[in-house]
Coordinates of all heavy atoms in Angstrom, one line a residue:
N138 N -34.5 -9.2 10.9 CA -34.1 -8.6 9.6 C -35.0 -7.5 9.3 O -34.5 -6.4 8.9 CB -34.1 -9.6 8.4 CG -33.0 -10.5 8.5 OD1 -31.9 -10.1 9.1 ND2 -33.1 -11.6 7.9
E139 N -36.3 -7.7 9.4 CA -37.3 -6.6 9.1 C -37.1 -5.4 10.0 O -37.1 -4.2 9.6 CB -38.7 -7.1 9.1 CG -39.1 -8.0 8.1 CD -40.3 -8.8 8.3 OE1 -41.2 -8.3 9.1 OE2 -40.5 -10.0 7.9
A140 N -36.9 -5.8 11.3 CA -36.7 -4.7 12.3 C -35.5 -3.8 12.0 O -35.5 -2.6 12.1 CB -36.6 -5.3 13.7
R141 N -34.4 -4.5 11.6 CA -33.1 -3.8 11.3 C -33.4 -3.0 10.0 O -32.9 -1.8 10.0 CB -32.1 -4.8 11.0 CG -30.7 -4.2 11.0 CD -29.6 -5.0 10.6 NE -29.6 -6.4 10.5 CZ -28.6 -7.2 10.8 NH1 -27.5 -6.7 11.2 NH2 -28.7 -8.5 10.6
R142 N -34.0 -3.5 9.1 CA -34.3 -2.7 7.9 C -35.1 -1.5 8.2 O -34.9 -0.4 7.7 CB -35.0 -3.6 6.8 CG -34.9 -3.0 5.4 CD -35.4 -4.1 4.4 NE -36.7 -4.6 4.8 CZ -37.2 -5.8 4.4 NH1 -36.5 -6.5 3.6 NH2 -38.4 -6.2 4.8
D143 N -36.1 -1.7 9.0 CA -37.0 -0.5 9.3 C -36.2 0.6 10.1 O -36.3 1.7 10.0 CB -38.1 -1.0 10.3 CG -39.2 -1.6 9.5 OD1 -39.1 -1.6 8.2 OD2 -40.1 -2.2 10.1
L144 N -35.3 0.1 11.0 CA -34.4 1.0 11.8 C -33.6 1.9 10.8 O -33.6 3.1 11.0 CB -33.5 0.2 12.7 CG -32.4 1.0 13.4 CD1 -33.0 2.0 14.4 CD2 -31.4 0.2 14.0
Y145 N -32.9 1.3 9.9 CA -32.1 2.0 8.9 C -32.9 2.9 8.0 O -32.5 4.0 7.7 CB -31.2 1.1 8.1 CG -30.0 0.6 8.9 CD1 -29.9 -0.7 9.3 CD2 -29.0 1.4 9.3 CE1 -28.9 -1.2 10.1 CE2 -28.0 1.1 10.0 CZ -27.9 -0.3 10.5 OH -26.8 -0.7 11.2
R146 N -34.2 2.5 7.7 CA -35.0 3.3 6.9 C -35.4 4.6 7.7 O -35.4 5.7 7.2 CB -36.3 2.6 6.6 CG -36.6 2.7 5.1 CD -37.8 1.9 4.7 NE -37.5 0.9 3.7 CZ -38.0 -0.3 3.8 NH1 -38.9 -0.7 4.6 NH2 -37.7 -1.1 2.8
R147 N -35.8 4.4 9.0 CA -36.1 5.5 9.9 C -34.9 6.4 10.1 O -35.0 7.7 10.0 CB -36.6 5.0 11.2 CG -37.1 6.0 12.2 CD -37.9 5.5 13.3 NE -37.1 4.5 14.2 CZ -36.2 4.8 15.0 NH1 -35.8 6.1 15.1 NH2 -35.5 3.9 15.7
L148 N -33.7 5.9 10.3 CA -32.5 6.7 10.5 C -32.3 7.6 9.2 O -31.9 8.7 9.3 CB -31.3 5.8 10.8 CG -31.2 5.3 12.2 CD1 -30.0 4.3 12.2 CD2 -31.0 6.4 13.2
A149 N -32.4 6.9 8.0 CA -32.1 7.6 6.8 C -33.1 8.8 6.7 O -32.7 9.9 6.3 CB -32.3 6.6 5.6
R150 N -34.4 8.6 7.1 CA -35.4 9.6 7.0 C -35.0 10.8 7.9 O -35.0 11.9 7.6 CB -36.7 9.1 7.3 CG -37.8 9.6 6.4 CD -39.2 9.0 6.6 NE -39.5 8.3 7.9 CZ -39.8 7.0 8.0 NH1 -39.8 6.3 6.9 NH2 -39.9 6.4 9.1
E151 N -34.7 10.4 9.2 CA -34.4 11.4 10.2 C -33.1 12.2 9.8 O -33.1 13.4 10.2 CB -34.2 10.7 11.6 CG -35.5 10.2 12.2 CD -35.3 9.4 13.4 OE1 -34.1 9.2 13.9 OE2 -36.2 8.8 13.9
Q152 N -32.1 11.5 9.3 CA -30.9 12.2 9.0 C -30.9 12.8 7.6 O -29.9 13.3 7.2 CB -29.8 11.2 9.2 CG -29.6 10.8 10.6 CD -28.5 9.9 10.9 OE1 -27.6 9.8 10.2 NE2 -28.6 9.1 12.0
G153 N -32.0 12.7 6.9 CA -32.1 13.4 5.5 C -31.4 12.7 4.4 O -31.1 13.3 3.4
Y154 N -31.1 11.3 4.6 CA -30.5 10.6 3.5 C -31.6 10.1 2.5 O -32.7 9.8 3.0 CB -29.7 9.4 4.0 CG -28.4 9.8 4.7 CD1 -28.2 9.5 6.0 CD2 -27.4 10.4 4.0 CE1 -27.1 9.8 6.7 CE2 -26.2 10.8 4.6 CZ -26.1 10.5 6.0 OH -24.9 10.9 6.6
K155 N -31.2 10.0 1.3 CA -32.2 9.6 0.2 C -32.5 8.1 0.4 O -33.5 7.6 -0.2 CB -31.6 9.8 -1.2 CG -31.4 11.3 -1.5 CD -32.7 11.9 -2.1 CE -32.5 13.3 -2.4 NZ -33.7 13.9 -2.9
S156 N -31.6 7.3 1.0 CA -31.9 5.9 1.1 C -31.2 5.3 2.3 O -30.2 5.9 2.7 CB -31.4 5.2 -0.2 OG -29.9 5.4 -0.3
R157 N -31.7 4.2 2.7 CA -31.0 3.5 3.8 C -29.7 2.9 3.4 O -28.8 2.6 4.2 CB -31.9 2.5 4.5 CG -32.2 1.2 3.7 CD -33.1 0.3 4.2 NE -33.4 -0.8 3.2 CZ -32.6 -1.8 3.0 NH1 -31.6 -2.1 3.7 NH2 -33.0 -2.7 2.1
A158 N -29.5 2.8 2.1 CA -28.2 2.3 1.6 C -27.1 3.1 2.0 O -25.9 2.7 2.1 CB -28.3 2.3 0.0
A159 N -27.3 4.4 2.3 CA -26.3 5.3 2.9 C -25.4 4.7 4.0 O -24.3 4.9 4.0 CB -26.9 6.6 3.3
F160 N -26.2 3.9 4.8 CA -25.4 3.4 6.0 C -24.5 2.3 5.6 O -23.5 2.0 6.3 CB -26.5 2.9 7.0 CG -27.3 4.0 7.6 CD1 -28.5 4.3 7.1 CD2 -26.7 4.9 8.5 CE1 -29.3 5.3 7.5 CE2 -27.5 6.0 8.9 CZ -28.7 6.2 8.5
K161 N -24.7 1.6 4.5 CA -23.7 0.6 4.0 C -22.4 1.2 3.6 O -21.4 0.6 3.6 CB -24.3 -0.2 2.8 CG -25.7 -0.9 3.1 CD -26.1 -1.6 1.9 CE -27.5 -2.0 1.9 NZ -28.0 -2.6 0.7
L162 N -22.5 2.5 3.2 CA -21.2 3.2 2.9 C -20.6 3.8 4.1 O -19.4 3.7 4.3 CB -21.5 4.2 1.8 CG -20.3 4.9 1.3 CD1 -19.3 4.0 0.6 CD2 -20.7 6.0 0.2
I163 N -21.4 4.4 4.9 CA -20.9 5.1 6.2 C -20.2 4.1 7.0 O -19.0 4.3 7.4 CB -22.1 5.7 7.0 CG1 -22.8 6.8 6.2 CG2 -21.6 6.1 8.4 CD1 -24.1 7.4 6.8
E164 N -20.8 2.9 7.3 CA -20.2 1.9 8.1 C -18.8 1.4 7.6 O -17.9 1.3 8.3 CB -21.2 0.8 8.1 CG -21.0 -0.3 9.2 CD -21.9 -1.4 9.0 OE1 -23.1 -1.2 8.6 OE2 -21.6 -2.5 9.3
A165 N -18.8 1.2 6.3 CA -17.5 0.6 5.7 C -16.5 1.7 5.7 O -15.3 1.5 6.0 CB -17.8 0.2 4.3
N166 N -16.9 2.9 5.4 CA -15.9 4.0 5.4 C -15.3 4.4 6.8 O -14.2 4.7 6.9 CB -16.4 5.2 4.6 CG -15.2 6.1 4.2 OD1 -14.4 5.7 3.3 ND2 -15.0 7.3 4.9
E167 N -16.2 4.2 7.8 CA -15.8 4.5 9.2 C -14.7 3.5 9.5 O -13.7 3.8 10.2 CB -16.9 4.4 10.2 CG -17.6 5.7 10.3 CD -18.9 5.7 11.2 OE1 -19.2 4.6 11.7 OE2 -19.5 6.7 11.3
R168 N -14.8 2.3 9.0 CA -13.9 1.2 9.4 C -12.6 1.3 8.6 O -11.5 1.1 9.1 CB -14.5 -0.1 9.2 CG -13.7 -1.2 9.5 CD -14.5 -2.2 10.4 NE -13.6 -3.2 10.9 CZ -13.7 -4.6 10.8 NH1 -14.8 -5.0 10.3 NH2 -12.8 -5.4 11.2
Y169 N -12.7 1.6 7.3 CA -11.6 1.5 6.4 C -11.1 2.8 5.8 O -10.0 2.8 5.1 CB -11.8 0.5 5.3 CG -12.1 -0.9 5.8 CD1 -13.3 -1.5 5.8 CD2 -11.0 -1.7 6.3 CE1 -13.6 -2.7 6.3 CE2 -11.3 -2.9 6.9 CZ -12.6 -3.5 6.9 OH -12.8 -4.7 7.4
G170 N -11.8 3.9 5.9 CA -11.4 5.2 5.5 C -10.9 5.3 4.1 O -9.9 5.9 3.7
F171 N -11.7 4.6 3.1 CA -11.2 4.6 1.7 C -11.7 5.8 0.9 O -11.2 6.1 -0.2 CB -11.6 3.4 1.0 CG -13.1 3.0 1.2 CD1 -14.0 3.4 0.2 CD2 -13.6 2.3 2.2 CE1 -15.3 3.1 0.3 CE2 -14.9 1.9 2.4 CZ -15.8 2.4 1.4
I172 N -12.6 6.7 1.4 CA -13.0 8.0 0.8 C -12.5 9.1 1.7 O -12.8 9.1 2.9 CB -14.6 8.1 0.7 CG1 -15.1 6.9 -0.1 CG2 -14.9 9.4 0.0 CD1 -16.6 7.0 -0.2
R173 N -11.7 9.9 1.1 CA -10.9 10.9 1.8 C -11.2 12.3 1.3 O -11.6 12.5 0.2 CB -9.4 10.6 1.8 CG -9.1 9.2 2.3 CD -7.8 8.7 1.9 NE -7.7 7.2 2.2 CZ -6.9 6.4 1.6 NH1 -5.9 6.9 0.8 NH2 -6.9 5.1 1.9
L174 N -10.9 13.3 2.1 CA -11.0 14.7 1.8 C -10.3 15.0 0.4 O -9.2 14.6 0.2 CB -10.4 15.6 2.8 CG -11.3 16.1 3.9 CD1 -10.5 17.0 4.8 CD2 -12.5 16.8 3.5
G175 N -11.0 15.6 -0.4 CA -10.4 16.1 -1.7 C -10.4 15.0 -2.8 O -10.0 15.3 -4.0
D176 N -11.0 13.8 -2.5 CA -11.0 12.7 -3.5 C -12.0 13.0 -4.7 O -12.9 13.7 -4.5 CB -11.5 11.4 -2.9 CG -10.4 10.7 -2.2 OD1 -9.2 11.0 -2.3 OD2 -10.7 9.6 -1.5
R177 N -11.7 12.4 -5.8 CA -12.7 12.4 -6.9 C -13.3 11.0 -6.9 O -12.5 9.9 -6.9 CB -11.9 12.5 -8.2 CG -11.5 14.0 -8.4 CD -10.8 14.0 -9.8 NE -10.4 15.3 -10.0 CZ -9.3 15.6 -10.7 NH1 -8.5 14.7 -11.3 NH2 -8.8 16.9 -10.9
V178 N -14.6 10.8 -6.9 CA -15.3 9.6 -6.7 C -16.2 9.4 -7.9 O -17.0 10.3 -8.2 CB -16.0 9.6 -5.4 CG1 -16.8 8.3 -5.2 CG2 -15.1 9.8 -4.2
A179 N -16.3 8.2 -8.5 CA -17.3 7.9 -9.4 C -18.2 6.8 -8.8 O -17.7 5.8 -8.2 CB -16.7 7.3 -10.7
D180 N -19.5 7.0 -8.8 CA -20.5 6.1 -8.1 C -21.5 5.6 -9.2 O -22.3 6.4 -9.8 CB -21.2 7.0 -7.1 CG -22.3 6.2 -6.3 OD1 -22.3 4.9 -6.5 OD2 -23.0 6.8 -5.6
F181 N -21.4 4.3 -9.5 CA -22.3 3.7 -10.5 C -23.5 3.0 -9.8 O -23.3 2.3 -8.8 CB -21.5 2.6 -11.3 CG -20.4 3.3 -12.1 CD1 -19.1 3.3 -11.6 CD2 -20.7 4.0 -13.2 CE1 -18.1 3.9 -12.4 CE2 -19.7 4.6 -14.0 CZ -18.4 4.5 -13.6
G182 N -24.7 3.2 -10.3 CA -25.9 2.7 -9.7 C -26.2 3.6 -8.5 O -26.4 3.2 -7.4
A183 N -26.2 5.0 -8.7 CA -26.2 6.0 -7.7 C -27.6 6.5 -7.2 O -27.6 7.1 -6.1 CB -25.3 7.1 -8.1
A184 N -28.7 6.2 -8.0 CA -30.0 6.8 -7.5 C -30.6 6.0 -6.4 O -30.3 4.7 -6.3 CB -30.9 6.7 -8.7
P185 N -31.3 6.5 -5.5 CA -31.7 7.9 -5.5 C -30.6 8.9 -4.9 O -30.9 10.1 -5.0 CB -32.9 7.9 -4.5 CG -32.7 6.7 -3.6 CD -32.0 5.7 -4.5
G186 N -29.6 8.4 -4.4 CA -28.4 9.3 -4.0 C -27.9 9.2 -2.6 O -27.2 10.2 -2.2
G187 N -28.3 8.2 -1.8 CA -27.8 8.1 -0.5 C -26.2 8.1 -0.5 O -25.6 8.8 0.3
W188 N -25.6 7.2 -1.3 CA -24.2 7.1 -1.3 C -23.5 8.5 -1.8 O -22.5 8.9 -1.3 CB -23.7 6.0 -2.2 CG -23.9 4.6 -1.6 CD1 -24.8 4.3 -0.6 CD2 -23.1 3.5 -2.0 NE1 -24.6 2.9 -0.4 CE2 -23.6 2.4 -1.1 CE3 -22.1 3.2 -2.9 CZ2 -23.1 1.1 -1.2 CZ3 -21.6 1.9 -3.0 CH2 -22.1 0.9 -2.2
L189 N -24.2 9.1 -2.7 CA -23.7 10.4 -3.2 C -23.6 11.4 -2.1 O -22.7 12.2 -2.0 CB -24.5 10.9 -4.4 CG -24.5 10.1 -5.7 CD1 -25.5 10.7 -6.7 CD2 -23.1 10.2 -6.3
Q190 N -24.7 11.4 -1.3 CA -24.7 12.4 -0.2 C -23.6 12.1 0.8 O -22.9 13.1 1.3 CB -26.1 12.2 0.6 CG -27.2 12.8 -0.2 CD -28.5 12.5 0.5 OE1 -28.9 11.4 0.7 NE2 -29.3 13.5 0.9
V191 N -23.4 10.8 1.1 CA -22.3 10.4 2.1 C -20.9 10.8 1.5 O -20.1 11.5 2.1 CB -22.3 8.9 2.3 CG1 -21.1 8.5 3.2 CG2 -23.7 8.6 3.1
A192 N -20.7 10.4 0.2 CA -19.4 10.7 -0.5 C -19.2 12.2 -0.6 O -18.1 12.7 -0.3 CB -19.4 10.0 -1.8
S193 N -20.2 12.9 -0.9 CA -20.1 14.4 -1.0 C -19.6 15.0 0.3 O -18.7 15.8 0.3 CB -21.5 15.0 -1.3 OG -21.5 16.3 -1.1
F194 N -20.1 14.6 1.4 CA -19.7 15.1 2.7 C -18.2 14.6 3.0 O -17.3 15.5 3.4 CB -20.6 14.5 3.8 CG -20.1 14.8 5.2 CD1 -20.3 16.0 5.8 CD2 -19.5 13.8 6.0 CE1 -19.8 16.3 7.0 CE2 -19.0 14.1 7.2 CZ -19.1 15.3 7.8
L195 N -17.9 13.4 2.6 CA -16.5 12.9 3.0 C -15.4 13.5 2.1 O -14.4 13.8 2.6 CB -16.5 11.4 2.7 CG -17.3 10.6 3.7 CD1 -17.4 9.1 3.2 CD2 -16.7 10.6 5.1
V196 N -15.7 13.8 0.8 CA -14.6 14.5 0.0 C -14.5 16.0 0.2 O -13.6 16.6 -0.1 CB -14.9 14.2 -1.5 CG1 -15.0 12.7 -1.8 CG2 -16.1 14.9 -2.0
G197 N -15.6 16.6 0.8 CA -15.6 18.0 1.1 C -15.6 18.9 -0.2 O -15.8 18.4 -1.3
E198 N -15.5 20.2 0.0 CA -15.6 21.1 -1.1 C -14.6 21.1 -2.1 O -14.8 21.5 -3.3 CB -15.9 22.5 -0.6 CG -14.8 23.1 0.3 CD -15.2 24.5 0.9 OE1 -16.4 24.7 1.0 OE2 -14.3 25.2 1.2
D199 N -13.4 20.5 -1.8 CA -12.3 20.4 -2.8 C -12.4 19.1 -3.6 O -11.6 18.8 -4.5 CB -10.9 20.4 -2.1 CG -10.7 21.8 -1.6 OD1 -11.3 22.8 -2.2 OD2 -9.9 22.0 -0.6
G200 N -13.3 18.2 -3.2 CA -13.5 16.9 -3.9 C -14.7 17.0 -4.8 O -15.4 18.0 -4.9
L201 N -14.9 15.9 -5.6 CA -15.9 15.8 -6.6 C -16.6 14.4 -6.6 O -15.7 13.4 -6.5 CB -15.4 16.3 -7.9 CG -16.4 16.3 -9.1 CD1 -17.4 17.4 -8.9 CD2 -15.6 16.6 -10.4
V202 N -17.8 14.3 -6.7 CA -18.5 13.0 -6.9 C -19.4 13.0 -8.1 O -20.3 13.9 -8.3 CB -19.4 12.7 -5.6 CG1 -19.8 11.3 -5.6 CG2 -18.5 13.0 -4.3
V203 N -19.2 11.9 -9.0 CA -20.0 11.8 -10.2 C -20.8 10.6 -10.0 O -20.3 9.5 -9.8 CB -19.1 11.8 -11.4 CG1 -19.9 11.5 -12.6 CG2 -18.3 13.0 -11.5
G204 N -22.1 10.7 -10.1 CA -23.0 9.5 -10.0 C -23.7 9.2 -11.3 O -24.1 10.1 -12.1
V205 N -23.7 7.9 -11.6 CA -24.4 7.4 -12.9 C -25.6 6.5 -12.5 O -25.4 5.6 -11.7 CB -23.3 6.6 -13.7 CG1 -24.0 6.1 -15.0 CG2 -22.2 7.5 -14.1
D206 N -26.7 6.7 -13.2 CA -27.8 5.8 -13.0 C -28.8 5.9 -14.1 O -28.8 6.9 -14.8 CB -28.6 6.1 -11.7 CG -29.3 4.9 -11.1 OD1 -30.3 4.5 -11.7 OD2 -28.8 4.3 -10.1
L207 N -29.6 4.8 -14.3 CA -30.6 4.9 -15.4 C -31.7 5.9 -14.9 O -32.4 6.5 -15.7 CB -31.3 3.5 -15.5 CG -30.5 2.4 -16.1 CD1 -31.2 1.1 -15.8 CD2 -30.3 2.6 -17.5
D208 N -31.9 6.0 -13.6 CA -32.9 6.9 -13.0 C -32.3 8.3 -12.7 O -31.1 8.4 -12.4 CB -33.4 6.3 -11.7 CG -34.2 5.0 -11.9 OD1 -34.7 4.8 -13.0 OD2 -34.3 4.3 -10.9
P209 N -33.2 9.3 -12.8 CA -32.7 10.6 -12.5 C -32.3 10.8 -11.0 O -32.9 10.1 -10.1 CB -33.9 11.5 -12.8 CG -35.1 10.7 -12.9 CD -34.6 9.3 -13.1
I210 N -31.4 11.6 -10.7 CA -30.9 11.9 -9.4 C -31.1 13.4 -9.1 O -30.6 14.2 -9.9 CB -29.4 11.5 -9.2 CG1 -29.2 10.0 -9.5 CG2 -28.9 12.0 -7.9 CD1 -27.8 9.6 -9.7
R211 N -31.7 13.7 -8.0 CA -32.0 15.1 -7.7 C -31.3 15.4 -6.4 O -31.8 15.0 -5.3 CB -33.4 15.5 -7.6 CG -34.1 15.4 -8.9 CD -35.6 15.7 -9.0 NE -36.1 15.3 -10.3 CZ -36.6 14.0 -10.5 NH1 -36.6 13.2 -9.5 NH2 -37.0 13.7 -11.7
L212 N -30.2 16.1 -6.4 CA -29.4 16.4 -5.2 C -29.0 17.9 -5.2 O -28.8 18.4 -6.3 CB -28.2 15.6 -5.0 CG -28.4 14.1 -4.6 CD1 -27.0 13.4 -4.4 CD2 -29.1 14.0 -3.2
K213 N -28.9 18.6 -4.1 CA -28.5 20.0 -4.1 C -27.0 20.2 -3.9 O -26.5 21.2 -4.1 CB -29.2 20.7 -2.9 CG -30.7 20.8 -3.1 CD -31.4 21.7 -2.2 CE -31.3 21.2 -0.7 NZ -32.2 20.2 -0.3
E214 N -26.3 19.1 -3.5 CA -24.9 19.3 -3.1 C -24.1 19.8 -4.3 O -24.2 19.3 -5.5 CB -24.3 17.9 -2.7 CG -24.6 17.5 -1.3 CD -26.1 17.0 -1.1 OE1 -26.8 17.0 -2.0 OE2 -26.4 16.5 0.1
K215 N -23.2 20.8 -4.0 CA -22.5 21.5 -5.2 C -21.4 20.6 -5.8 O -21.0 20.8 -6.9 CB -21.9 22.8 -4.6 CG -22.8 23.9 -4.3 CD -22.1 25.2 -4.4 CE -23.1 26.4 -4.0 NZ -23.2 26.6 -2.6

Side-chain angles (χ1 to χ4, degrees):
N138 282 337
E139 289 165 28
R141 193 189 345 216
R142 200 170 47 203
D143 284 355
L144 168 71
Y145 283 109
R146 227 180 244 142
R147 185 166 57 74
L148 282 175
R150 220 175 20 241
E151 284 171 9
Q152 296 181 22
Y154 289 118
K155 295 272 182 187
S156 63
R157 69 182 173 85
F160 296 101
K161 301 182 195 175
L162 184 60
I163 293 171
E164 194 186 326
N166 199 68
E167 271 176 3
R168 182 130 189 234
Y169 298 108
F171 51 93
I172 303 177
R173 302 164 194 160
L174 268 182
D176 276 353
R177 287 183 184 145
V178 178
D180 180 9
F181 295 101
W188 283 24
L189 289 175
Q190 291 172 296
V191 174
S193 160
F194 172 76
L195 292 169
V196 303
E198 57 188 25
D199 293 333
L201 183 64
V202 189
V203 175
V205 178
D206 205 289
L207 291 170
D208 291 340
I210 295 165
R211 289 178 199 89
L212 284 181
K213 293 193 291 286
E214 282 76 354
K215 288 203 181 85

